[in-house]
Amino acid sequence: MKNSIKLVAICVVMWALLISTADAQTARHAYDASDATSLGNPAAGATISQWLDTGTAADRDWLVSGSQITYQTISPGNFVFTDTVRYSGSQVDGDMNTTDFQFGTNNASFEMWLRPDSIGSNELLFETGGGTRGAGLRLNDDGTFRFVARGGNGTNNSVVDSTLTANTADFVQVVGINDVLNDEIRIYINGILDGTTATNRNWDGTDDAGLGIDQNALPSQLTPFSAFGGDIPLFRLYDTALTDEQVLALFDAQVAPVPEPASIAIWSLIGFGLVGFGYYRARRKK
């Protein structure tokens, strides 16, 4: 009996680990508002002066100035976010920039979570590089999203627009991918592949990068634009071309769990126990 109880416990733990680690990805550059230290431990509503890179490279810190970019605490909704960086939408008194993102490889994935204050104007979400090479994300005036990879002499721009749209009620995940192996760029909305365009682009330019605000030159297909207004709780960059399954796993990881009724949870444990005990008995018979 003791052995069967141990086996049940092991099965439960292994199942939980399997769920939590499936398709786990490590970001080269990561910015998570729930990490208060990365923002300088600000009070709720306070302006921030930094957003430190907590990815594996940890070498692209955002420098922030002005009074229009603040740290806010929020109530969790359909997703797990309780902390966010808020943009007022004013470019006059706010700035968030760092040096360009160059990975040494053209494969790249840009994952952003955001909640816009309004829909109706083109708002810049992210841009890196500029005059001849670069990449960027934009919220279009109809609520769709655009991903751009710019390469070559600046005239070779690959653009892909989503069909799915944002709304002001909840957060949305947007992922833009430059996939050299398959010669395409892709855009995903909330874990779903929503558009592809053929390409083979050198996107990693040398001009400064901006988050929610532009820095110097950027691909012409991101214009016209205004500064972003709304919340960004999480932004990550990967030096790989994420797969469909990996993007969906990243989305699922941020979905707020739905509490299980106690009866369902108990029967789930009993189910694990029966499976584990059956396996144990079968082994004993051998």
Side-chain angles (χ1 to χ4, degrees):
M1 183 64 180
K2 290 183 179 180
N3 288 334
S4 63
I5 293 174
K6 288 181 181 179
L7 188 56
V8 170
I10 291 172
C11 288
V12 172
V13 171
M14 290 182 66
W15 180 257
L17 288 174
L18 179 63
I19 294 175
S20 64
T21 59
D23 285 319
Q25 295 302 303
T26 302
R28 181 180 178 89
H29 304 286
Y31 310 90
D32 188 343
S34 67
D35 183 348
T37 302
S38 71
L39 296 169
N41 296 305
T47 58
I48 61 173
S49 60
Q50 66 180 37
W51 200 356
L52 301 184
D53 183 357
T54 58
T56 57
D59 59 359
R60 291 294 189 276
D61 299 335
W62 294 108
L63 303 178
V64 188
S65 63
S67 61
Q68 306 302 317
I69 304 176
T70 59
Y71 163 73
Q72 301 287 344
T73 57
I74 54 178
S75 298
N78 294 324
F79 301 97
V80 299
F81 305 116
T82 57
D83 308 87
T84 185
V85 171
R86 170 167 285 277
Y87 291 74
S88 73
S90 169
Q91 194 162 1
V92 176
D93 190 20
D95 199 14
M96 183 177 285
N97 73 290
T98 188
T99 53
D100 56 89
F101 292 89
Q102 295 195 64
F103 297 165
T105 174
N106 291 318
N107 281 326
S109 302
F110 306 85
E111 179 197 14
M112 177 178 287
W113 285 83
L114 66 135
R115 180 174 60 185
D117 285 340
S118 62
I119 305 293
S121 62
N122 295 319
E123 298 187 21
L124 186 65
L125 303 176
F126 165 75
E127 65 91 4
T128 180
T132 57
R133 296 177 181 172
L137 290 165
R138 187 184 76 179
L139 172 64
N140 297 327
D141 57 10
D142 61 356
T144 61
F145 293 91
R146 170 168 289 189
F147 175 55
V148 176
R150 181 175 188 168
N153 60 6
T155 61
N156 298 321
N157 293 277
S158 290
V159 180
V160 59
D161 289 308
S162 71
T163 61
L164 299 174
T165 60
N167 63 73
T168 59
D170 212 341
F171 289 96
V172 58
Q173 178 208 42
V174 183
V175 179
I177 294 177
N178 192 62
D179 187 341
V180 175
L181 179 62
N182 293 303
D183 293 335
E184 65 180 13
I185 63 173
R186 303 189 293 272
I187 191 167
Y188 296 76
I189 306 298
N190 286 348
I192 299 172
L193 177 62
D194 196 29
T196 62
T197 297
T199 187
N200 190 353
R201 295 287 174 252
N202 249 340
W203 64 270
D204 53 347
T206 57
D207 195 51
D208 284 355
L211 186 63
I213 296 172
D214 72 301
Q215 292 296 320
N216 304 321
L218 72 167
S220 59
Q221 277 80 358
L222 291 173
T223 61
F225 66 86
S226 59
F228 174 68
D231 295 301
I232 299 178
L234 183 63
F235 181 53
R236 294 185 288 208
L237 292 84
Y238 306 84
D239 53 8
T240 60
L242 298 176
T243 65
D244 294 354
E245 294 77 14
Q246 290 167 340
V247 173
L248 182 58
L250 291 171
F251 173 80
D252 288 341
Q254 304 302 328
V255 176
V258 178
E260 270 191 305
S263 59
I264 295 178
I266 291 171
W267 280 109
S268 296
L269 289 175
I270 292 173
F272 280 123
L274 291 174
V275 171
F277 186 67
Y279 175 79
Y280 172 73
R281 289 292 301 272
R283 295 283 293 178
R284 285 291 299 271
K285 289 180 179 179
K286 292 180 181 180

